[in-house]
Amino acid sequence: MKYRLPEARGKSSPSRVKIGTLLLCLTGFSSANVSWADQTINYPAENPLITFSAPDDWKVKVTNGSFFVVSPDGGDVIVEVAAMEAAADDDAAAVKEAESTLDEDFNNLKLTKSDPVEANGLVLSLLGGEGEDSSGRAYINVALIRHPEAAHKILFTLIAAKENASTYGAACGAMLDSISAVASGESRSGGHSAVQTFSYPDKAKPDFALDFPADWNMKATDEGVYVESHDKLVSMNVIMVDKADLLDAEETLKKKVGERFKEILWNGGADPEVNKDAALGLTATFQNAQASDGAGTEKYSVNLVTYERKSGNKVLILLCRNPMRALDKHADAMVAVLKSIKVR
């Protein structure tokens, strides 16, 4: 199927039912051809709120903060999990937002809304029905998820091509039934929640590697990679430069960053911190700047870190920029990125 799913996006007494059973009844999936779900997916990757299972041969991809799960045929079933704009307790706004998004991609859309259900620590409002896009008729299942610790709804959308829906009926039902809350402070291992990795020069034998949260947007550049948190508060550049060009590269980056602010002070006016590890043949240099557009304006933090190996002719530069308020939400993730850096 070819369609666009969203990138990022009332109260009644809940009843307890199996989520998959209810939605599959709405859409008419068959229970034939059981496919067991045995990979775990946590959303979001940083401080996950929900977890669910999917067959181990289904592909998982993270794009602009949304998690996509695709059946092995390449698209007969597509699942997206994404943040919504609707507040956690605003069912009416969430339904309107979901229907508006689906209207962009489907004609003759017919959805039935069920009463909220309580399952596995969550409250879900469910929509099920059919629509038609350029590829034909499709079954549509939507769960508007309220987590007790989340400010906004989470949208779980499952679209299946009607022609082949019976092939994946049991797998879809098991996936929907597996949706569960992740409690505050609970640690879950496995799945696709942890990281996405930048490796240089390749994954097989990298000289440098570092990990970023899986739900942050990572885009390759000519020099390395650009990474941005899903809320755009934190941006990071990984830049690979020749050793001979390191000093010029540092000064150029500091100048470019400085041009964005009226005030910027590097390292408190002192020299940068330099750590040398003779055993590893590694030199790490840490530079930090505090910046703003003047008194009374928002404060920013800029970090410039370089890792230089004794061997090889490349140096890794990590440039991070964020308003100070981002630390309330992303401090742990930013520290984890630094701790993840591996040098051969």
Side-chain angles (χ1 to χ4, degrees):
M1 286 181 296
K2 297 180 181 179
Y3 57 90
R4 185 178 67 259
L5 287 172
E7 294 182 355
R9 308 292 177 229
K11 302 180 182 178
S12 57
S13 300
S15 57
R16 286 190 173 274
V17 300
K18 293 185 72 176
I19 304 168
T21 301
L22 176 57
L23 286 181
L24 297 181
C25 286
L26 288 173
T27 58
F29 278 125
S30 166
S31 60
N33 299 317
V34 173
S35 176
W36 296 108
D38 54 8
Q39 62 172 314
T40 300
I41 301 164
N42 297 336
Y43 177 86
E46 183 184 339
N47 302 318
L49 294 169
I50 67 169
T51 183
F52 62 98
S53 299
D56 62 357
D57 58 347
W58 289 35
K59 303 299 181 183
V60 180
K61 185 168 75 169
V62 181
T63 303
N64 296 328
S66 297
F67 279 31
F68 292 89
V69 187
V70 182
S71 57
D73 53 73
D76 271 349
V77 178
I78 299 177
V79 173
E80 185 189 16
V81 187
M84 300 190 75
E85 295 180 2
D89 60 353
D90 195 339
D91 264 16
V95 170
K96 184 176 180 180
E97 183 180 340
E99 290 179 338
S100 175
T101 301
L102 291 168
D103 276 336
E104 296 177 5
D105 302 301
F106 291 95
N107 298 316
N108 302 318
L109 188 64
K110 296 179 180 178
L111 297 177
T112 300
K113 181 179 181 296
S114 72
D115 291 333
V117 299
E118 182 181 339
N120 305 324
L122 302 167
V123 176
L124 305 95
S125 297
L126 308 171
L127 301 172
E130 297 185 19
E132 186 173 358
D133 65 4
S134 60
S135 299
R137 299 294 297 175
Y139 290 127
I140 300 170
N141 291 275
V142 177
L144 309 172
I145 302 172
R146 174 157 60 96
H147 187 286
E149 298 169 11
H152 295 271
K153 294 277 194 188
I154 298 171
L155 180 66
F156 187 105
T157 306
L158 187 155
I159 311 291
K162 189 172 183 179
E163 182 179 0
N164 297 321
S166 61
T167 302
Y168 297 107
C172 292
M175 193 184 316
L176 291 160
D177 283 332
S178 72
I179 300 173
S180 303
V182 177
S184 178
E186 182 179 349
S187 175
R188 294 181 181 271
S189 60
H192 295 262
S193 65
V195 297
Q196 50 187 330
T197 302
F198 169 79
S199 303
Y200 179 89
D202 54 52
K203 292 182 180 180
K205 194 175 182 181
D207 291 335
F208 300 93
L210 68 164
D211 300 328
F212 298 95
D215 62 343
W216 288 21
N217 187 32
M218 186 164 75
K219 182 179 180 180
T221 67
D222 291 340
E223 299 85 9
V225 70
Y226 173 75
V227 183
E228 188 175 63
S229 61
H230 49 80
D231 56 11
K232 303 185 186 300
L233 285 178
V234 180
S235 61
M236 295 184 175
N237 287 88
V238 178
I239 304 166
M240 305 303 304
V241 302
D242 292 335
K243 281 184 178 180
D245 299 329
L246 175 58
L247 293 179
D248 287 342
E250 288 178 319
E251 291 306 311
T252 298
L253 289 170
K254 289 166 68 174
K255 181 179 179 181
K256 286 183 177 180
V257 171
E259 289 172 349
R260 298 179 55 187
F261 301 99
K262 289 184 178 180
E263 298 176 350
I264 187 166
L265 178 63
W266 286 94
N267 310 310
D271 293 331
E273 177 186 347
V274 179
N275 294 331
K276 293 187 177 182
D277 190 321
L280 294 176
L282 176 67
T283 299
T285 303
F286 301 87
Q287 303 192 59
N288 173 262
Q290 300 297 316
S292 72
D293 286 330
T297 62
E298 187 168 33
K299 305 296 184 182
Y300 282 77
S301 175
V302 184
N303 290 277
L304 182 66
V305 187
T306 63
Y307 290 85
E308 180 179 358
R309 300 168 65 238
K310 184 176 181 180
S311 59
N313 63 354
K314 288 289 186 180
V315 179
L316 182 147
I317 299 177
L318 176 63
L319 175 65
C320 178
R321 302 165 300 284
N322 59 273
M324 296 302 294
R325 59 188 168 90
L327 298 179
D328 294 335
K329 186 174 183 181
H330 297 300
D332 290 345
M334 295 163 67
V335 171
V337 171
L338 284 173
K339 288 184 176 180
S340 76
I341 297 175
K342 300 177 181 66
V343 182
R344 182 173 63 84

